[in-house]
Amino acid sequence: MRIAGYRPRNTYLQRQLDHRWHRFLLWCALGAAGLAVVLGGIVGPRQTTVRLRYEIAQIKSEVDALERERRSLLLQLESETSPHVLAPRAADLGLAVVPPDRLLFLTSSGELVGQGLKTQSPAASPTGRD
């Protein structure tokens, strides 16, 4: 039955606070911490691997640059010490001209070959004493 104009007010009743939210908040925090630990365990080593790969790539590029520079310097050395370049400057450098009959060449088989000289095997001693 409904009485018009009557609205009961339960002012004497005080609602009890729900303390279960503390437990819910604790479980959420523990879950987030557990998830952070798991993700840190997965992501940490991966980040280290990626960082090391970048360092290896950088070092390889430095090694390649140094090898290119070394090859360039070797080519420059060979061009500066080639007989065609040294021959005109031999007198200025204090070098004596070698007569052609004293020149020897090493063949791919390991024999010394010269103009006007006999073929000499690599086992023969250079002094002529056996």
Side-chain angles (χ1 to χ4, degrees):
M1 164 165 168
R2 194 163 179 195
I3 301 173
Y6 175 73
R7 294 186 197 263
R9 291 200 171 114
N10 298 328
T11 55
Y12 56 92
L13 293 177
Q14 297 222 347
R15 187 169 193 189
Q16 293 287 326
L17 291 177
D18 188 9
H19 294 287
R20 290 183 297 177
W21 70 273
H22 290 278
R23 192 176 342 145
F24 175 73
L25 186 62
L26 178 66
W27 279 107
C28 286
L30 288 175
L35 185 62
V37 167
V38 169
L39 287 177
I42 292 171
V43 171
R46 174 74 177 153
Q47 287 297 103
T48 303
T49 303
V50 169
R51 182 180 50 84
L52 289 177
R53 285 183 182 170
Y54 275 114
E55 288 178 10
I56 288 170
Q58 182 180 10
I59 290 172
K60 281 184 180 179
S61 68
E62 290 175 9
V63 167
D64 290 342
L66 289 173
E67 285 179 355
R68 281 192 303 272
E69 184 179 355
R70 179 181 171 269
R71 281 191 299 259
S72 170
L73 290 173
L74 284 175
L75 284 173
Q76 183 181 357
L77 175 68
E78 288 296 322
S79 68
E80 292 291 327
T81 58
S82 68
H84 300 294
V85 174
L86 289 179
R89 301 185 318 173
D92 297 338
L93 296 173
L95 299 174
V97 178
V98 178
D101 62 337
R102 295 202 54 202
L103 290 177
L104 297 174
F105 298 98
L106 186 65
T107 63
S108 60
S109 63
E111 297 180 19
L112 287 175
V113 178
Q115 295 177 351
L117 294 178
K118 295 189 295 185
T119 304
Q120 191 177 17
S121 67
S125 64
T127 59
R129 292 184 256 160
D130 289 328

